[in-house]
Amino acid sequence: MATEMMALDKIKDCLSNGHDFVLQGGAGCGKTETLKQLIDYISTEYPYKKIACITHTNKAADEISSRVEGGHVVSTIHSFLNGLIKDYKKNIHQVIYELFKVNSMVRLELEAYADEKEQRTKEHDKYKKVYEKYSARYYIVFGNRTEKVEGKKLYDTNPVEFNRILNEKILEINNKIKLEIEQKGFKSIEYNETRFNDFKKLTFGHDGLLDIAALLFDEFKLLGKILNDKFDYIFIDEYQDTHEKIVDIFLTKLPLHNKPVIGLFGDSMQSIYGDGIGNVNHFVGNGVLKRIDKEDNFRCSPQVIKFINTLRNDGLNQALALKTMESADTREGTVEFNYSIHDNKPNAWSSDVEKEAYTSALNTLIELSAFEGEAKILLLSNKAVAVKAGFPNLYKVFSDRYLEPKEEFTKILTRLQLLDLFEICNAYEAKNYNFVLSKLKKSGLSIKTLADKENISASLQSIISSNKGAVDTVENAFALKLLKRSETFSEYKNRAEKYLELINSDGEYLVFEADYLNDGHTLPKMQKKKPEIDEDTFRDQERNLKQKQFFEALFSDKVTFLEVLNYFKYEDEQTPYITMHKTKGTGIDNVLVVLDEYFWNEYDFCAAFNQNEENLLKKEKNLQLIYVACSRAKFNLRCVRLVSSDEEAIFAKAFEHHHFKKVNIEN
């Protein structure tokens, strides 16, 4: 309680002095409770002052709203920004072109790369991405499909010329976009409350709203004055997950005169989402923000607290804090590290046989390390979990195409509106009918009578029980008016159909495919069949084959909607397994954390504990993910890993004050 009051008192000092601040607190420290107490304090002491409290989720907004009085604004960032800018459609009309334009291809010179080979590879990769965006926008604007993007071998013959031609096409379509925006006028412009922007209707989604708001604050200084006049204090919960351009608005774009005090609440160590600002160290360093540490931990056992403190890199050191009527002896727990030696660990390019043998050994270690009672297992997404959680085909389709499929899962399933459909179906199964009706009304479905509701129920039951392919099920949802087709869906489906049409009419590719599938799946084997084929051509055609197989499987019955439902339920922590990428939340009594990368090149958990690791960005990224996972444990934390002989000493040092146990997995 002493540190609680000290943190709150420091915040009160900032309010008195008009100084912006950041409350930095680890997992389970009660940051949100402090925020509620602060709002109560202001409401009592300064009842005429106006507060805006911005949260990351609707659930958090509802929780805080239930505790505060006085007519203050408590909402998500999207609701807050939309309420601020929605009446300024003429101004939005002047900047909305930036949302729909295609950015030009900009070539970096050789000095920006390690060597010429890296330059050729990365420049062509960049060219393909720009061309893909151009192609998607071209389809929406003109209704026609573009030609297939040039392969690397052809592109490398004259990259400057190919860039010039593409940029001319981009200039042409951007001029068309600008003209259409001018002709449409401003009256139809609005926030559509979906994940997608819509050029034809001139509406914008969640991410588009953030972009529009940032553009307006840059372009029209009066908007900052209007915001200043509305509020005396603006508090942002979970600041680390708030987009950098939004944090920048509140800290640098508001006029100094009559500016509200800005307060940020969160924890940079829990920044594991790529679209958040992460930390605000530069604002603390230049004096814009005063940092206030909150070192309480009301969640974890002292043993877990001691361990997770070693993971922090910001100087904050948490201490055991007891809730009312709680005693210290009821919070006791354990921290263990169970391991077995396994040298020559496979990587992403290793054979399936090597990967299967390694995974089998790891699964044995996990089984031998399991808690006797109820527990959750936290780990990176992998094939074994996909099987147990009920989405094996979905995982295989993505892992066959991408070395690190997790990054693509949600991105592509969201584009295809499968996340939207899951949210509606999941809410229906949970009998959260208000959420369902709210979503369906936004899709334009008329709901006036009992018969309408019965029809909706029948439609959703048919969707949930569907054994059809996932994309076919989404198409069915469009037909039943459970979803409104987005431009993003149309763009992606068109891209797949155009790709398959072109690749299946490419004679050179079809010969390669036949040879590749007939025991020619490596360059040396292919060169025995066709000595003239070079590495660049082989890699290009191999990527074409994997892309073709991916699109064919994704749009077929191989990926069922049931598997998509199971995947998102796994993501939503509705299974015994929890992905480490989505583990922020309430405490769990017993947690088993699998510290294995599952052949992801993006992660290296050993680097997090290696005191000699030179790549500090890599070290920080891995530390943050491990911290978020381990800090979920309320009482008992058990980490497991197959370690190499070289790693054993590193992990022994990391867990030197805890149980460090070598497990025999041979028997």
Side-chain angles (χ1 to χ4, degrees), residues 97-138:
Y97 161 75
E98 298 294 326
L99 205 62
F100 295 106
K101 73 175 185 180
V102 181
N103 290 321
S104 300
M105 172 68 188
V106 178
R107 179 177 173 83
L108 297 180
E109 297 303 322
L110 182 60
E111 292 75 19
Y113 298 101
D115 52 39
E116 188 174 347
K117 183 178 180 180
E118 182 187 52
Q119 182 193 34
R120 289 199 303 268
T121 299
K122 291 194 173 180
E123 284 297 316
H124 182 247
D125 287 344
K126 185 167 61 175
Y127 177 84
K128 287 193 298 183
K129 290 178 181 178
V130 174
Y131 190 93
E132 179 184 321
K133 292 179 180 178
Y134 159 75
S135 180
R137 187 61 65 210
Y138 188 91

Side-chain angles (χ1 to χ4, degrees), residues 444-459:
L445 190 62
S446 176
I447 308 170
K448 296 180 180 178
T449 66
L450 178 60
D452 291 334
K453 293 181 180 180
E454 290 174 344
N455 288 335
I456 290 170
S457 180
S459 296

Side-chain angles (χ1 to χ4, degrees), residues 4 26 38 48 103 119 138 185 239-240 247 267 273 283 290 299 333 362 395 474 487 500 526 544 576 596 620 630 648:
E4 164 69 23
L38 179 60
Y48 51 90
N103 290 321
Q119 182 193 34
Y138 188 91
Y239 77 82
Q240 74 278 357
V247 175
D267 182 14
Y273 303 132
F283 290 115
K290 178 179 179 180
R299 174 192 296 171
L362 178 61
Y395 186 86
V474 173
E487 286 186 347
L500 293 174
M526 183 64 77
N544 284 334
D596 192 89
E620 180 180 36
C630 292
E648 187 175 15

Side-chain angles (χ1 to χ4, degrees), residues 630-649:
C630 292
S631 63
R632 290 291 296 273
K634 292 172 65 176
F635 299 107
N636 302 304
L637 169 66
R638 191 171 293 165
C639 298
V640 300
R641 180 180 174 88
L642 291 178
V643 304
S644 67
S645 300
D646 293 339
E647 294 176 339
E648 187 175 15

Side-chain angles (χ1 to χ4, degrees), residues 10-12 14-15 19-23 38 234-235 251 261-265 288-292:
K10 288 181 179 179
I11 293 175
K12 291 176 183 177
C14 287
L15 300 189
H19 204 298
D20 298 340
F21 66 90
V22 53
L23 181 71
L38 179 60
I234 298 176
F235 302 137
L251 295 182
V261 173
I262 308 298
L264 309 182
F265 295 73
V288 171
L289 289 172
K290 178 179 179 180
R291 172 171 155 168
I292 300 170

Side-chain angles (χ1 to χ4, degrees), residues 433-603:
Y433 300 129
N434 287 336
F435 177 88
V436 173
L437 294 176
S438 172
K439 283 284 187 180
L440 296 182
K441 286 177 180 177
K442 290 175 183 177
S443 297
L445 190 62
S446 176
I447 308 170
K448 296 180 180 178
T449 66
L450 178 60
D452 291 334
K453 293 181 180 180
E454 290 174 344
N455 288 335
I456 290 170
S457 180
S459 296
L460 286 171
Q461 287 175 8
S462 71
I463 291 289
I464 292 169
S465 61
S466 171
N467 58 4
K468 292 184 177 180
V471 178
D472 283 345
T473 304
V474 173
E475 293 278 13
N476 189 27
F478 293 150
L480 294 170
K481 297 186 178 180
L482 299 175
L483 286 178
K484 184 183 293 184
R485 187 187 303 267
S486 72
E487 286 186 347
T488 304
F489 178 93
S490 299
E491 288 171 357
Y492 193 82
K493 189 176 181 184
N494 165 69
R495 175 191 164 200
E497 290 173 347
K498 180 64 176 178
Y499 185 89
L500 293 174
E501 175 189 324
L502 292 173
I503 205 70
N504 286 326
S505 61
D506 185 332
E508 184 179 341
Y509 164 77
L510 293 175
V511 171
F512 172 88
E513 180 185 286
D515 289 336
Y516 186 96
L517 296 176
N518 184 25
D519 197 31
H521 53 273
T522 66
L523 180 59
K525 288 183 177 181
M526 183 64 77
Q527 287 177 330
K528 286 183 181 180
K529 297 171 180 283
K530 293 185 176 301
E532 70 277 8
I533 194 169
D534 57 33
E535 183 177 359
D536 282 346
T537 301
F538 178 82
R539 298 303 175 203
D540 261 354
Q541 296 288 40
E542 186 178 46
R543 279 192 290 269
N544 284 334
L545 174 62
K546 288 186 176 182
Q547 189 65 56
K548 174 187 173 181
Q549 291 174 332
F550 175 74
F551 280 147
E552 287 178 339
L554 183 64
F555 287 86
S556 73
D557 290 344
K558 182 179 288 188
V559 176
T560 65
F561 183 61
L562 175 60
E563 288 209 4
V564 172
L565 283 177
N566 289 337
Y567 167 71
F568 282 121
K569 286 179 179 179
Y570 159 66
E571 283 277 291
D572 202 39
E573 302 189 8
Q574 298 180 35
T575 73
Y577 302 93
I578 302 176
T579 172
M580 291 174 72
H581 286 87
K582 197 171 183 180
T583 59
K584 289 196 291 184
T586 57
I588 303 167
D589 286 357
N590 304 308
V591 172
L592 192 150
V593 177
V594 182
L595 290 176
D596 192 89
E597 298 84 358
Y598 287 97
F599 320 120
W600 288 41
N601 297 317
E602 187 179 351
Y603 292 99

